Amino acid sequence: MGDINGFGDPQPRKKWILNAFSMSSSGHVASGLWRHPRNRTHEYKNIQYWIDLAKILDGNFHGLFLADMLGVYDVYKVPGNLKPALPGAARFPISDPSLPIAAMAAVTKSLSSGITASTTYENPFLLARRYSTLDYLTNGRVAWNVVTSYLESAAKNLGLETQISHDERYAIAEEYMEVVYKLLESSWRTDAVVLDKEKREYTDPDRVRRINHKGKYFSVAGPRLIEPSRQRTPFIFQAGASKAGKSFAIKHAKAMFLPGMEVAAVKKQVQEIRAEAIQLGRDANSIKFIPGILVIVDETDDLAQKKYEEYLSYANLKGSLALFGGWTGTDLGKHGDDEDFKFSDNGVATELALGEPQAKVIKSSKTVADILERWIKEAGVDGFNLSYAVNLGDFEAIVKWLIPELKTRGVFWDPVRAEGMSMRENYLDDGLGPRLRADHPGSKFKWDN
Amino acid sequence: MGDINGFGDPQPRKKWILNAFSMSSSGHVASGLWRHPRNRTHEYKNIQYWIDLAKILDGNFHGLFLADMLGVYDVYKVPGNLKPALPGAARFPISDPSLPIAAMAAVTKSLSSGITASTTYENPFLLARRYSTLDYLTNGRVAWNVVTSYLESAAKNLGLETQISHDERYAIAEEYMEVVYKLLESSWRTDAVVLDKEKREYTDPDRVRRINHKGKYFSVAGPRLIEPSRQRTPFIFQAGASKAGKSFAIKHAKAMFLPGMEVAAVKKQVQEIRAEAIQLGRDANSIKFIPGILVIVDETDDLAQKKYEEYLSYANLKGSLALFGGWTGTDLGKHGDDEDFKFSDNGVATELALGEPQAKVIKSSKTVADILERWIKEAGVDGFNLSYAVNLGDFEAIVKWLIPELKTRGVFWDPVRAEGMSMRENYLDDGLGPRLRADHPGSKFKWDN
């Protein structure tokens, strides 16, 4: 158990990635918890909420991951029915997650942001400019969580009669990534902006070029409109659960968010993905595995349990069922409104009532840390994507109770050293700088390093 | 001349709209001025630049208007030639103007932001969510500058072989506006978010509805994803110079940016637009006319002139010709690189060397104010869209020299009263609240007020 007894290991221990998981929405995984008196997520639309959240996370968490959706979870009971999602605030209403980032960047030193955007519905030329701009505004502290968007309701918002099929969405996404890599890696040399006042040359015209991409789905002349940012291609997250999604993630992403309620199941996923990565010529150890988990921590196991029970009294099962319908396309309305779904895994309780199928750890800091250690060691994961039931409160509790324990064990990262470093450097911690790694498929588009 | 002699008018004078005009780009109207030692526009990509600019403008200017482009000015000398635009930084590189806004909103109290976005290239569902989010983050201090995008190079970046024709772009824009009004005005009742903890109801499901828009160009189910923001539809800017552009602006915009170098020509434009507005059933006096102007002001006329001459020594005529080619599609390369284009209008000098065809006033504060008074009185305009040659410097000079003079004359607005008010209220100053006015075509889509 590493440095748990204070004697120190012969070697420094691997540091854990601590990711905070949220949405720019009234509700996220724990439906109904907007009613909790300390919960502030209904302020998702106000700038001060984001500034306060950023200040709590900065210096503690590596990054904040913001999921997103472009439609409503409207599968529950009557397909196309808006109503069940509304009372429980099941990820609806929801705002644009890219827009508060600048205000958060201005008040933080090492916190990164992972922002979701869809390859099915956003134009790649506009998206490339957006992430380049964010990469500048955050000084290289931004990731793109690549999604292909799975909601039928999103398709109908974005101009389609029905969804593009899953496999075609991934085929589009493959070409989309190529366009984005060309724009971000290939159209400007790093030394293009010379600011040579003598020669009256802001940009050297020989160091910028078009990409002239013409493919099956996209036609983009380029060049990208903004000069080279620190990371160029943002750090890439992915959370693909389907076979095509996983293959896509293995190819393009360096941090994968895994669902999963049990150590053994996550371990199996990690092993399978590493094996597939090796087949694809990627460095298997360079992919970071980050399972989602809900940590409710307090001074003692008992106080944590009491807090959890108090949270449960606010949970909204209807909202959870609407969410579940959205994730799976399966209507659980037929199971009856008061049915619950329970699993357990050695101190880890999971209940649909507090959100999506993910592990929950409800204990004192030492017990939480022991359970998380088991995930790290047995499942081979690199850190945790920590969700909340009450926000800001559950993140504050992690900072107050859990992080001191992680420091004692020698697994807490060094956020002071991270100041001024890019997200890619902070998550991969391999000393290889802010740009795409050599084994990444976007690397072959680099005009220069 | 109003309160110019300090004796006061019998009635308070109409306050002028003071708009700062810029881009999230290395260069804007004054090509080559990036070389000036005090110019900071090459920092357009850094967050501190935007925070510093916002702090200078806040409490002085009504708003900051950010133009935008989705392509390069590549018409000069060889069509499709990137190179002339690059050395002079003629609006290239350029970043996404919507992304720094949150950081500026966090440090300002009354400053609004006008952000450009294109009805030709952006999806209306995503655009509606973006402006709603900005309306929240700024507390109602946001405008949308509606453009249809006129650059051939933009079309080729956004997936087209060539541009959509001018008239069809405006036909698309008309339907686009209808979709946006439906999303913003019609899909949520103002009282939809009830946060009723007893009833476990975040949103009342009977107060949110789909829009089910199916038109020639767009198909959008809705509802909008984010709850009702303060202004709902953002305040609308437009700067259409063509006949179709003007008709579009008269219908949809409440603030029009007019080009023009001479009082008489601008007066004619204002009169024609007012007449057309009346024909369309709009309140002609509710449209604000804001001509673009470059003010270079200093303690004396002589110091202002010296500053101007120093600026001219940095000007880049090639860059200006690239810009001119972009605006007009006309290649001025054949006129020779050292030719200049001069006009004059009673104290107002215009030279292509310092940017687009706009009036320039280079004088001490009293003389500048006298000339601006003439524009207000003779041309019937409501304020000014003040550009810069050196940024932040020229805005700082306006704050230091011109604004005290405007206060003396009783034409300076009340930015303290404006704190907490929406952009629409601050620009229209009609006491009619933050939402669309009754004569606006978007008003008929209101579900409620």
Side-chain angles (χ1 to χ4, degrees), chain A residues 26 42 44-45 93, chain B residues 136 188-196 201-204 207-208 226-228:
Chain A
S26 51
H42 62 283
Y44 74 95
K45 50 201 187 289
Chain B
Y136 261 114
W188 288 70
R189 273 176 52 162
T190 304
D191 57 1
V193 173
V194 289
L195 295 177
D196 186 330
E201 206 168 79
Y202 190 101
T203 303
D204 181 334
R207 298 176 186 173
V208 180
I226 174 170
E227 65 200 84

PDB file of all heavy atoms in Angstrom, chain A residues 26 42 44-45 93, chain B residues 136 188-196 201-204 207-208 226-228:
ATOM      1  N   SER A  26     -28.119  21.697 -15.107  1.00  0.00           N
ATOM      2  CA  SER A  26     -28.823  21.630 -13.836  1.00  0.00           C
ATOM      3  C   SER A  26     -28.644  20.304 -13.114  1.00  0.00           C
ATOM      4  O   SER A  26     -28.685  20.226 -11.897  1.00  0.00           O
ATOM      5  CB  SER A  26     -30.299  21.813 -14.130  1.00  0.00           C
ATOM      6  OG  SER A  26     -30.676  20.892 -15.166  1.00  0.00           O
ATOM      7  N   HIS A  42     -27.950  24.260 -10.129  1.00  0.00           N
ATOM      8  CA  HIS A  42     -28.920  25.091 -10.859  1.00  0.00           C
ATOM      9  C   HIS A  42     -28.310  26.441 -11.232  1.00  0.00           C
ATOM     10  O   HIS A  42     -28.886  27.190 -12.008  1.00  0.00           O
ATOM     11  CB  HIS A  42     -30.187  25.302 -10.030  1.00  0.00           C
ATOM     12  CG  HIS A  42     -29.936  26.029  -8.751  1.00  0.00           C
ATOM     13  ND1 HIS A  42     -29.370  25.407  -7.658  1.00  0.00           N
ATOM     14  CD2 HIS A  42     -30.120  27.317  -8.397  1.00  0.00           C
ATOM     15  CE1 HIS A  42     -29.224  26.283  -6.670  1.00  0.00           C
ATOM     16  NE2 HIS A  42     -29.677  27.441  -7.101  1.00  0.00           N
ATOM     17  N   TYR A  44     -25.606  26.551 -12.943  1.00  0.00           N
ATOM     18  CA  TYR A  44     -24.742  26.199 -14.088  1.00  0.00           C
ATOM     19  C   TYR A  44     -24.669  27.304 -15.125  1.00  0.00           C
ATOM     20  O   TYR A  44     -23.762  27.366 -15.942  1.00  0.00           O
ATOM     21  CB  TYR A  44     -25.276  24.913 -14.756  1.00  0.00           C
ATOM     22  CG  TYR A  44     -26.536  25.166 -15.552  1.00  0.00           C
ATOM     23  CD1 TYR A  44     -26.489  25.409 -16.922  1.00  0.00           C
ATOM     24  CD2 TYR A  44     -27.768  25.248 -14.921  1.00  0.00           C
ATOM     25  CE1 TYR A  44     -27.646  25.708 -17.627  1.00  0.00           C
ATOM     26  CE2 TYR A  44     -28.918  25.541 -15.615  1.00  0.00           C
ATOM     27  CZ  TYR A  44     -28.858  25.780 -16.972  1.00  0.00           C
ATOM     28  OH  TYR A  44     -29.993  26.082 -17.663  1.00  0.00           O
ATOM     29  N   LYS A  45     -25.622  28.201 -15.140  1.00  0.00           N
ATOM     30  CA  LYS A  45     -25.692  29.226 -16.174  1.00  0.00           C
ATOM     31  C   LYS A  45     -24.994  30.516 -15.760  1.00  0.00           C
ATOM     32  O   LYS A  45     -24.850  31.434 -16.562  1.00  0.00           O
ATOM     33  CB  LYS A  45     -27.149  29.487 -16.532  1.00  0.00           C
ATOM     34  CG  LYS A  45     -28.016  29.727 -15.300  1.00  0.00           C
ATOM     35  CD  LYS A  45     -29.487  29.480 -15.579  1.00  0.00           C
ATOM     36  CE  LYS A  45     -30.351  29.875 -14.399  1.00  0.00           C
ATOM     37  NZ  LYS A  45     -30.218  28.949 -13.240  1.00  0.00           N
ATOM     38  N   PRO A  93     -32.344  21.632 -18.172  1.00  0.00           N
ATOM     39  CA  PRO A  93     -31.615  22.406 -19.191  1.00  0.00           C
ATOM     40  C   PRO A  93     -30.099  22.227 -19.128  1.00  0.00           C
ATOM     41  O   PRO A  93     -29.554  21.792 -18.134  1.00  0.00           O
ATOM     42  CB  PRO A  93     -32.005  23.843 -18.854  1.00  0.00           C
ATOM     43  CG  PRO A  93     -32.406  23.834 -17.422  1.00  0.00           C
ATOM     44  CD  PRO A  93     -33.018  22.508 -17.182  1.00  0.00           C
TER      45      PRO A  93
ATOM     46  N   TYR B 136     -26.594  34.467 -20.457  1.00  0.00           N
ATOM     47  CA  TYR B 136     -26.511  34.184 -19.020  1.00  0.00           C
ATOM     48  C   TYR B 136     -25.173  34.609 -18.423  1.00  0.00           C
ATOM     49  O   TYR B 136     -25.123  35.272 -17.390  1.00  0.00           O
ATOM     50  CB  TYR B 136     -26.738  32.695 -18.739  1.00  0.00           C
ATOM     51  CG  TYR B 136     -28.149  32.413 -18.302  1.00  0.00           C
ATOM     52  CD1 TYR B 136     -29.008  31.660 -19.069  1.00  0.00           C
ATOM     53  CD2 TYR B 136     -28.626  32.945 -17.097  1.00  0.00           C
ATOM     54  CE1 TYR B 136     -30.313  31.420 -18.668  1.00  0.00           C
ATOM     55  CE2 TYR B 136     -29.925  32.713 -16.693  1.00  0.00           C
ATOM     56  CZ  TYR B 136     -30.756  31.947 -17.483  1.00  0.00           C
ATOM     57  OH  TYR B 136     -32.041  31.728 -17.072  1.00  0.00           O
ATOM     58  N   TRP B 188     -39.689  28.004 -24.489  1.00  0.00           N
ATOM     59  CA  TRP B 188     -39.767  27.985 -23.026  1.00  0.00           C
ATOM     60  C   TRP B 188     -40.588  29.176 -22.569  1.00  0.00           C
ATOM     61  O   TRP B 188     -40.315  30.319 -22.978  1.00  0.00           O
ATOM     62  CB  TRP B 188     -38.377  28.154 -22.392  1.00  0.00           C
ATOM     63  CG  TRP B 188     -37.449  27.008 -22.504  1.00  0.00           C
ATOM     64  CD1 TRP B 188     -36.845  26.555 -23.637  1.00  0.00           C
ATOM     65  CD2 TRP B 188     -36.964  26.188 -21.426  1.00  0.00           C
ATOM     66  NE1 TRP B 188     -36.023  25.501 -23.333  1.00  0.00           N
ATOM     67  CE2 TRP B 188     -36.068  25.263 -21.989  1.00  0.00           C
ATOM     68  CE3 TRP B 188     -37.213  26.159 -20.058  1.00  0.00           C
ATOM     69  CZ2 TRP B 188     -35.414  24.304 -21.223  1.00  0.00           C
ATOM     70  CZ3 TRP B 188     -36.554  25.211 -19.292  1.00  0.00           C
ATOM     71  CH2 TRP B 188     -35.669  24.285 -19.872  1.00  0.00           C
ATOM     72  N   ARG B 189     -41.518  28.935 -21.679  1.00  0.00           N
ATOM     73  CA  ARG B 189     -42.149  30.063 -21.002  1.00  0.00           C
ATOM     74  C   ARG B 189     -41.177  30.648 -19.978  1.00  0.00           C
ATOM     75  O   ARG B 189     -40.335  29.935 -19.428  1.00  0.00           O
ATOM     76  CB  ARG B 189     -43.427  29.612 -20.289  1.00  0.00           C
ATOM     77  CG  ARG B 189     -44.649  29.650 -21.192  1.00  0.00           C
ATOM     78  CD  ARG B 189     -45.868  29.120 -20.522  1.00  0.00           C
ATOM     79  NE  ARG B 189     -46.143  29.733 -19.222  1.00  0.00           N
ATOM     80  CZ  ARG B 189     -47.332  29.687 -18.617  1.00  0.00           C
ATOM     81  NH1 ARG B 189     -48.348  29.070 -19.209  1.00  0.00           N
ATOM     82  NH2 ARG B 189     -47.495  30.230 -17.444  1.00  0.00           N
ATOM     83  N   THR B 190     -41.316  31.929 -19.731  1.00  0.00           N
ATOM     84  CA  THR B 190     -40.426  32.601 -18.774  1.00  0.00           C
ATOM     85  C   THR B 190     -40.479  31.925 -17.406  1.00  0.00           C
ATOM     86  O   THR B 190     -39.477  31.835 -16.700  1.00  0.00           O
ATOM     87  CB  THR B 190     -40.833  34.072 -18.652  1.00  0.00           C
ATOM     88  OG1 THR B 190     -40.808  34.641 -19.965  1.00  0.00           O
ATOM     89  CG2 THR B 190     -39.878  34.849 -17.760  1.00  0.00           C
ATOM     90  N   ASP B 191     -41.670  31.446 -17.045  1.00  0.00           N
ATOM     91  CA  ASP B 191     -41.835  30.856 -15.708  1.00  0.00           C
ATOM     92  C   ASP B 191     -41.669  29.336 -15.710  1.00  0.00           C
ATOM     93  O   ASP B 191     -42.137  28.650 -14.803  1.00  0.00           O
ATOM     94  CB  ASP B 191     -43.215  31.224 -15.150  1.00  0.00           C
ATOM     95  CG  ASP B 191     -44.347  30.772 -16.094  1.00  0.00           C
ATOM     96  OD1 ASP B 191     -44.060  30.170 -17.143  1.00  0.00           O
ATOM     97  OD2 ASP B 191     -45.520  31.045 -15.772  1.00  0.00           O
ATOM     98  N   ALA B 192     -40.978  28.806 -16.713  1.00  0.00           N
ATOM     99  CA  ALA B 192     -40.878  27.345 -16.825  1.00  0.00           C
ATOM    100  C   ALA B 192     -40.041  26.714 -15.716  1.00  0.00           C
ATOM    101  O   ALA B 192     -40.375  25.650 -15.208  1.00  0.00           O
ATOM    102  CB  ALA B 192     -40.308  26.959 -18.193  1.00  0.00           C
ATOM    103  N   VAL B 193     -38.958  27.363 -15.350  1.00  0.00           N
ATOM    104  CA  VAL B 193     -38.110  26.794 -14.293  1.00  0.00           C
ATOM    105  C   VAL B 193     -38.695  27.216 -12.950  1.00  0.00           C
ATOM    106  O   VAL B 193     -38.672  28.384 -12.582  1.00  0.00           O
ATOM    107  CB  VAL B 193     -36.647  27.257 -14.434  1.00  0.00           C
ATOM    108  CG1 VAL B 193     -35.812  26.793 -13.235  1.00  0.00           C
ATOM    109  CG2 VAL B 193     -36.054  26.688 -15.728  1.00  0.00           C
ATOM    110  N   VAL B 194     -39.268  26.253 -12.258  1.00  0.00           N
ATOM    111  CA  VAL B 194     -39.986  26.579 -11.019  1.00  0.00           C
ATOM    112  C   VAL B 194     -39.170  26.240  -9.766  1.00  0.00           C
ATOM    113  O   VAL B 194     -39.402  26.788  -8.702  1.00  0.00           O
ATOM    114  CB  VAL B 194     -41.367  25.883 -10.965  1.00  0.00           C
ATOM    115  CG1 VAL B 194     -42.309  26.521 -11.966  1.00  0.00           C
ATOM    116  CG2 VAL B 194     -41.244  24.381 -11.235  1.00  0.00           C
ATOM    117  N   LEU B 195     -38.224  25.324  -9.887  1.00  0.00           N
ATOM    118  CA  LEU B 195     -37.409  24.879  -8.735  1.00  0.00           C
ATOM    119  C   LEU B 195     -38.298  24.598  -7.516  1.00  0.00           C
ATOM    120  O   LEU B 195     -38.013  25.036  -6.409  1.00  0.00           O
ATOM    121  CB  LEU B 195     -36.351  25.936  -8.381  1.00  0.00           C
ATOM    122  CG  LEU B 195     -35.276  26.207  -9.433  1.00  0.00           C
ATOM    123  CD1 LEU B 195     -34.336  27.331  -8.969  1.00  0.00           C
ATOM    124  CD2 LEU B 195     -34.456  24.955  -9.731  1.00  0.00           C
ATOM    125  N   ASP B 196     -39.362  23.872  -7.757  1.00  0.00           N
ATOM    126  CA  ASP B 196     -40.314  23.564  -6.691  1.00  0.00           C
ATOM    127  C   ASP B 196     -39.856  22.294  -5.972  1.00  0.00           C
ATOM    128  O   ASP B 196     -40.041  21.176  -6.456  1.00  0.00           O
ATOM    129  CB  ASP B 196     -41.715  23.393  -7.304  1.00  0.00           C
ATOM    130  CG  ASP B 196     -42.776  23.227  -6.234  1.00  0.00           C
ATOM    131  OD1 ASP B 196     -42.465  22.692  -5.144  1.00  0.00           O
ATOM    132  OD2 ASP B 196     -43.931  23.621  -6.488  1.00  0.00           O
ATOM    133  N   GLU B 201     -40.070  19.394  -8.672  1.00  0.00           N
ATOM    134  CA  GLU B 201     -40.181  19.861 -10.055  1.00  0.00           C
ATOM    135  C   GLU B 201     -39.180  20.982 -10.313  1.00  0.00           C
ATOM    136  O   GLU B 201     -39.348  22.082  -9.794  1.00  0.00           O
ATOM    137  CB  GLU B 201     -41.612  20.366 -10.287  1.00  0.00           C
ATOM    138  CG  GLU B 201     -42.041  20.293 -11.719  1.00  0.00           C
ATOM    139  CD  GLU B 201     -43.536  20.523 -11.855  1.00  0.00           C
ATOM    140  OE1 GLU B 201     -43.951  21.698 -11.800  1.00  0.00           O
ATOM    141  OE2 GLU B 201     -44.279  19.540 -12.005  1.00  0.00           O
ATOM    142  N   TYR B 202     -38.160  20.665 -11.078  1.00  0.00           N
ATOM    143  CA  TYR B 202     -37.189  21.690 -11.489  1.00  0.00           C
ATOM    144  C   TYR B 202     -37.836  22.565 -12.564  1.00  0.00           C
ATOM    145  O   TYR B 202     -37.945  23.760 -12.421  1.00  0.00           O
ATOM    146  CB  TYR B 202     -35.935  21.010 -12.035  1.00  0.00           C
ATOM    147  CG  TYR B 202     -34.768  21.942 -12.284  1.00  0.00           C
ATOM    148  CD1 TYR B 202     -33.722  22.023 -11.373  1.00  0.00           C
ATOM    149  CD2 TYR B 202     -34.678  22.712 -13.447  1.00  0.00           C
ATOM    150  CE1 TYR B 202     -32.633  22.854 -11.592  1.00  0.00           C
ATOM    151  CE2 TYR B 202     -33.607  23.550 -13.672  1.00  0.00           C
ATOM    152  CZ  TYR B 202     -32.584  23.625 -12.749  1.00  0.00           C
ATOM    153  OH  TYR B 202     -31.513  24.461 -12.978  1.00  0.00           O
ATOM    154  N   THR B 203     -38.293  21.893 -13.623  1.00  0.00           N
ATOM    155  CA  THR B 203     -38.960  22.583 -14.716  1.00  0.00           C
ATOM    156  C   THR B 203     -40.390  22.069 -14.812  1.00  0.00           C
ATOM    157  O   THR B 203     -40.622  20.865 -14.730  1.00  0.00           O
ATOM    158  CB  THR B 203     -38.233  22.287 -16.043  1.00  0.00           C
ATOM    159  OG1 THR B 203     -36.866  22.691 -15.914  1.00  0.00           O
ATOM    160  CG2 THR B 203     -38.877  23.018 -17.204  1.00  0.00           C
ATOM    161  N   ASP B 204     -41.330  22.962 -14.975  1.00  0.00           N
ATOM    162  CA  ASP B 204     -42.719  22.566 -15.190  1.00  0.00           C
ATOM    163  C   ASP B 204     -42.837  22.013 -16.614  1.00  0.00           C
ATOM    164  O   ASP B 204     -42.632  22.749 -17.586  1.00  0.00           O
ATOM    165  CB  ASP B 204     -43.625  23.790 -15.008  1.00  0.00           C
ATOM    166  CG  ASP B 204     -45.098  23.448 -15.182  1.00  0.00           C
ATOM    167  OD1 ASP B 204     -45.418  22.465 -15.896  1.00  0.00           O
ATOM    168  OD2 ASP B 204     -45.938  24.186 -14.638  1.00  0.00           O
ATOM    169  N   ARG B 207     -44.544  23.821 -19.533  1.00  0.00           N
ATOM    170  CA  ARG B 207     -44.085  25.145 -19.944  1.00  0.00           C
ATOM    171  C   ARG B 207     -42.849  25.100 -20.848  1.00  0.00           C
ATOM    172  O   ARG B 207     -42.141  26.077 -20.981  1.00  0.00           O
ATOM    173  CB  ARG B 207     -43.810  25.993 -18.685  1.00  0.00           C
ATOM    174  CG  ARG B 207     -45.068  26.210 -17.850  1.00  0.00           C
ATOM    175  CD  ARG B 207     -44.790  26.964 -16.557  1.00  0.00           C
ATOM    176  NE  ARG B 207     -46.015  27.017 -15.756  1.00  0.00           N
ATOM    177  CZ  ARG B 207     -46.062  27.492 -14.511  1.00  0.00           C
ATOM    178  NH1 ARG B 207     -44.964  27.981 -13.943  1.00  0.00           N
ATOM    179  NH2 ARG B 207     -47.203  27.496 -13.843  1.00  0.00           N
ATOM    180  N   VAL B 208     -42.617  23.915 -21.408  1.00  0.00           N
ATOM    181  CA  VAL B 208     -41.542  23.751 -22.388  1.00  0.00           C
ATOM    182  C   VAL B 208     -42.138  22.982 -23.552  1.00  0.00           C
ATOM    183  O   VAL B 208     -42.883  22.027 -23.335  1.00  0.00           O
ATOM    184  CB  VAL B 208     -40.348  22.960 -21.794  1.00  0.00           C
ATOM    185  CG1 VAL B 208     -39.237  22.794 -22.824  1.00  0.00           C
ATOM    186  CG2 VAL B 208     -39.804  23.655 -20.552  1.00  0.00           C
ATOM    187  N   ILE B 226     -31.350  25.346 -23.234  1.00  0.00           N
ATOM    188  CA  ILE B 226     -31.103  26.117 -22.019  1.00  0.00           C
ATOM    189  C   ILE B 226     -32.336  26.951 -21.682  1.00  0.00           C
ATOM    190  O   ILE B 226     -33.069  27.395 -22.559  1.00  0.00           O
ATOM    191  CB  ILE B 226     -29.795  26.959 -22.143  1.00  0.00           C
ATOM    192  CG1 ILE B 226     -29.576  27.885 -20.938  1.00  0.00           C
ATOM    193  CG2 ILE B 226     -29.750  27.761 -23.412  1.00  0.00           C
ATOM    194  CD1 ILE B 226     -28.196  28.554 -20.900  1.00  0.00           C
ATOM    195  N   GLU B 227     -32.572  27.106 -20.405  1.00  0.00           N
ATOM    196  CA  GLU B 227     -33.749  27.849 -19.928  1.00  0.00           C
ATOM    197  C   GLU B 227     -33.681  29.321 -20.358  1.00  0.00           C
ATOM    198  O   GLU B 227     -32.639  29.800 -20.807  1.00  0.00           O
ATOM    199  CB  GLU B 227     -33.830  27.705 -18.405  1.00  0.00           C
ATOM    200  CG  GLU B 227     -32.673  28.347 -17.665  1.00  0.00           C
ATOM    201  CD  GLU B 227     -32.520  27.791 -16.236  1.00  0.00           C
ATOM    202  OE1 GLU B 227     -31.881  26.743 -16.105  1.00  0.00           O
ATOM    203  OE2 GLU B 227     -33.008  28.401 -15.292  1.00  0.00           O
ATOM    204  N   PRO B 228     -34.790  30.056 -20.184  1.00  0.00           N
ATOM    205  CA  PRO B 228     -34.850  31.428 -20.713  1.00  0.00           C
ATOM    206  C   PRO B 228     -33.829  32.359 -20.054  1.00  0.00           C
ATOM    207  O   PRO B 228     -33.795  32.498 -18.839  1.00  0.00           O
ATOM    208  CB  PRO B 228     -36.272  31.878 -20.356  1.00  0.00           C
ATOM    209  CG  PRO B 228     -37.045  30.627 -20.147  1.00  0.00           C
ATOM    210  CD  PRO B 228     -36.076  29.622 -19.622  1.00  0.00           C
TER     211      PRO B 228
END
